[in-house]
Amino acid sequence: MPRAHRVLPGFGLSLGFTLAYLSLIILIPLSAVFIKTAGMEPARFWHVVTSDRVVASYKLSFGMSLLAAAINMVFGLLLAWAIVRYSFPGRKLIDALVDLPFALPTAVAGISLTAIYAPNGWIGQILAPLGIKIAFGPAGVLVALIFIGLPFVVRTVQPILEDFESEFEEAAASLGASRFQTVRRVVLPALVPALLTGFALAFARAVGEYGSVIFIAGNIPMVSEITPLMIITRLEEFDYEGATAIASVMLLVSFVLLLVINSLQGWMSQRGRRVS
């Protein structure tokens, strides 16, 4: 039997290229973080990663990242639904604007958000008399993380909605299902894996975000300092071991959270296939 023609090289060569590329880009840099941290004494490592200022930055970074990803999961679904299911003036423009956070430099995004939400900004001057402070506080961090994470959810859910057959919704309606029942039992089960993927991507981007947050956060110790800023501060102080220690903790927590989200996504996909 003649061998089947393959465009790509054989499995061994492809796997070798894949592992080499993965090692150079991801595994070796991440290993360097842990190797540098391993040179610290356990007592010093624990003191660095559990100091009050660093723990406060953990709570802010991970808490706001999870909250921003959850908000984007809801409103990203609504935005993707409007773009896919409805025709209205400016639809293509809105569809293009969704990708703006991808193309916009993070520093420009941070400066723009700060100018808008500062007490003398367009929106900030309206909210200030009401006692609502966005810029230079935790709320500003949340706004920046929502801004940079929204496209991940929209672009993940949008293809699923485009491929979703409307006949299923029509069949549910013909069987007497209400709109809420149709969405809950027909539409959402098909979208949950994509929503969880968008949530994970938005969370991963938000945890490591620096440029768009640093301007609007205010960087007040114990209040609005994010963990990446703690790492940069340690590097500026030439405390490389302290910086890698904080980075290793951040990396481990992020990995565990993403593992949980991906496991949940896989479970939902298997459950959906069993139901169908």
Side-chain angles (χ1 to χ4, degrees):
M1 294 293 291
R3 296 182 61 182
H5 176 70
R6 295 183 177 88
V7 177
L8 296 178
F11 173 75
L13 187 59
S14 299
L15 182 62
F17 277 123
T18 301
L19 293 178
Y21 183 80
L22 185 65
S23 299
L24 291 173
I25 301 300
I26 298 177
L27 297 181
I28 293 177
L30 295 183
S31 299
V33 173
F34 291 107
I35 292 173
K36 188 69 175 180
T37 305
M40 298 179 64
E41 296 180 357
R44 169 166 164 71
F45 173 82
W46 185 254
H47 174 73
V48 170
V49 300
T50 60
S51 63
D52 294 339
R53 192 171 174 181
V54 175
V55 170
S57 72
Y58 294 151
K59 294 179 180 179
L60 180 67
S61 293
F62 288 107
M64 289 301 176
S65 296
L66 287 171
L67 181 58
I71 293 174
N72 281 329
M73 187 169 61
V74 175
F75 289 96
L77 172 60
L78 297 177
L79 182 56
W81 185 280
I83 292 174
V84 173
R85 292 299 181 92
Y86 300 103
S87 296
F88 52 89
R91 175 176 171 269
K92 292 185 178 180
L93 177 61
I94 293 177
D95 191 19
L97 289 176
V98 170
D99 294 326
L100 184 61
F102 286 150
L104 194 66
T106 56
V108 176
I111 294 173
S112 302
L113 292 173
T114 305
I116 293 173
Y117 289 100
N120 59 347
W122 293 347
I123 300 177
Q125 63 183 354
I126 299 175
L127 300 177
L130 302 176
I132 301 175
K133 180 181 179 182
I134 301 296
F136 314 125
V141 176
L142 179 62
V143 169
L145 296 183
I146 291 174
F147 175 80
I148 57 99
L150 181 63
F152 291 96
V153 179
V154 175
R155 293 311 184 208
T156 304
V157 175
Q158 188 174 352
I160 307 301
L161 280 174
E162 291 174 347
D163 295 336
F164 190 81
E165 299 292 341
S166 59
E167 287 80 3
F168 294 113
E169 302 172 49
E170 296 172 358
S174 66
L175 293 174
S178 63
R179 291 184 178 182
F180 176 75
Q181 289 175 328
T182 302
V183 170
R184 184 170 64 90
R185 296 187 178 183
V186 178
V187 179
L188 279 183
L191 296 180
V192 165
L195 284 172
L196 290 176
T197 301
F199 179 90
L201 292 174
F203 169 77
R205 170 69 189 275
V207 166
E209 181 61 22
Y210 179 79
S212 62
V213 177
I214 199 68
F215 295 99
I216 196 173
N219 309 320
I220 303 173
M222 305 293 293
V223 176
S224 59
E225 280 185 326
I226 57 176
T227 305
L229 177 60
M230 292 287 94
I231 298 174
I232 295 297
T233 301
R234 296 283 182 171
L235 291 175
E236 291 177 347
E237 296 172 353
F238 301 101
D239 184 8
Y240 301 117
E241 289 184 346
T244 54
I246 299 173
S248 63
V249 172
M250 194 175 185
L251 179 62
L252 286 174
V253 175
S254 300
F255 179 76
V256 171
L257 289 175
L258 290 175
L259 180 62
V260 171
I261 295 171
N262 290 331
S263 300
L264 180 61
Q265 177 191 0
W267 177 78
M268 291 298 297
S269 299
Q270 293 178 359
R271 181 174 178 270
R273 285 194 293 267
R274 287 198 299 267
V275 171
S276 60

